[in-house]
Amino acid sequence: MVEYRNSLIPGEDGSPLGVRGSARDLTDRLRAEKSLRESEERHRSILENMDEGYYEVDLAGNFTFVNRAMCNMLGYTRDEIIGVNNREYMDEETAGGVYAAFNRVYRTGRTEKGFNWTIIHKDGSRSIVETSVSLNANAGGQPVGFRGLVRDVTERERERKEKLRLEAQLQHAQ
C-alpha cells in the first residue's frame, strides 16, 4: 500500500502551475500494525479463557484489571471490582500477609509464588487461593503496581487437612 500526498504549486497570479507530490510505501508499517493487533488479541484471548484468575493492581492495591476467572472466583462483575482495593476481599489477618508479600516483591523485584490466602466472595463465603505476585513496571522500569495469578485450592486444602486429621487419629489409636 502506498500513501500519496500532493499539493498545487501556485503561480504568481494564483493560478496553478503544477502539482508537487510525494509517495510513501506503507507496507511494512501496516504489516507491523497487523502483527501487533493479532498479538494483542491472542494475549487477550489467553487471559480471558484461562481457568486461573489474573489480576493487576496499582501500588496501593486497587484493582486495575481482572480477567473473567477472577470475577467468577470473587462473584463480582469486572465493573464492581475495578478500582476497589484488594483488601476488600479478605479479612484483616489475610490482608496483613498479603501486604507483607507485596512489600517483599516491591523491595526485591522477585516474584512471590505459591502462597495461600483466604478470599471473601460477594455472598460472604470464603475460599483458599494459591497466589503469585510480581512487580508491574512501566516502560521506564518504574514500579506501577503488581500482577499475578490466583488458583482456587479450597478443595485441595480440605483434603490435605482431612488427611492430616486421619493420620493423627491413626497415630493416636496406635
Side-chain angles (χ1 to χ4, degrees):
M1 175 168 258
V2 176
E3 175 183 64
Y4 182 75
R5 295 181 185 216
N6 62 26
S7 60
L8 294 175
I9 301 171
E12 288 184 24
D13 64 355
S15 62
L17 288 179
V19 176
R20 176 181 14 212
S22 64
R24 181 170 64 154
D25 185 355
L26 300 176
T27 306
D28 289 340
R29 187 181 93 199
L30 293 174
R31 273 192 203 127
E33 288 173 356
K34 180 181 179 201
S35 178
L36 179 61
R37 276 192 311 274
E38 289 171 352
S39 176
E40 287 173 346
E41 180 55 37
R42 186 171 44 255
H43 288 99
R44 186 177 305 112
S45 178
I46 290 168
L47 281 175
E48 284 305 312
N49 292 305
M50 60 193 233
D51 292 332
E52 289 81 14
Y54 175 83
Y55 67 90
E56 293 179 6
V57 295
D58 61 20
L59 291 174
N62 301 309
F63 284 103
T64 58
F65 179 84
V66 292
N67 71 348
R68 175 193 47 79
M70 191 73 196
C71 294
N72 292 342
M73 266 185 225
L74 290 169
Y76 291 90
T77 66
R78 187 172 279 129
D79 288 340
E80 290 174 311
I81 295 172
I82 299 300
V84 176
N85 195 279
N86 63 10
R87 290 184 304 271
E88 294 295 318
Y89 307 107
M90 58 188 82
D91 59 28
E92 281 189 46
E93 181 182 339
T94 298
V98 169
Y99 176 82
F102 279 55
N103 191 29
R104 280 191 302 275
V105 171
Y106 183 81
R107 285 185 292 105
T108 66
R110 289 193 304 264
T111 299
E112 290 266 333
K113 296 179 185 176
F115 65 95
N116 291 357
W117 78 54
T118 302
I119 59 170
I120 303 171
H121 303 269
K122 185 175 185 174
D123 66 7
S125 64
R126 295 171 185 248
S127 293
I128 301 168
V129 293
E130 180 180 79
T131 308
S132 68
V133 60
S134 59
L135 202 55
N136 193 6
N138 64 17
Q142 297 299 312
V144 294
F146 304 91
R147 68 178 80 179
L149 295 173
V150 178
R151 176 180 297 129
D152 190 327
V153 295
T154 306
E155 192 58 38
R156 184 177 79 190
E157 286 298 307
R158 283 186 186 134
E159 290 170 1
R160 184 184 67 78
K161 287 179 182 178
E162 179 63 14
K163 182 180 176 186
L164 290 173
R165 187 186 70 75
L166 292 173
E167 287 172 356
Q169 278 183 340
L170 180 61
Q171 284 179 348
H172 181 70
Q174 291 173 346

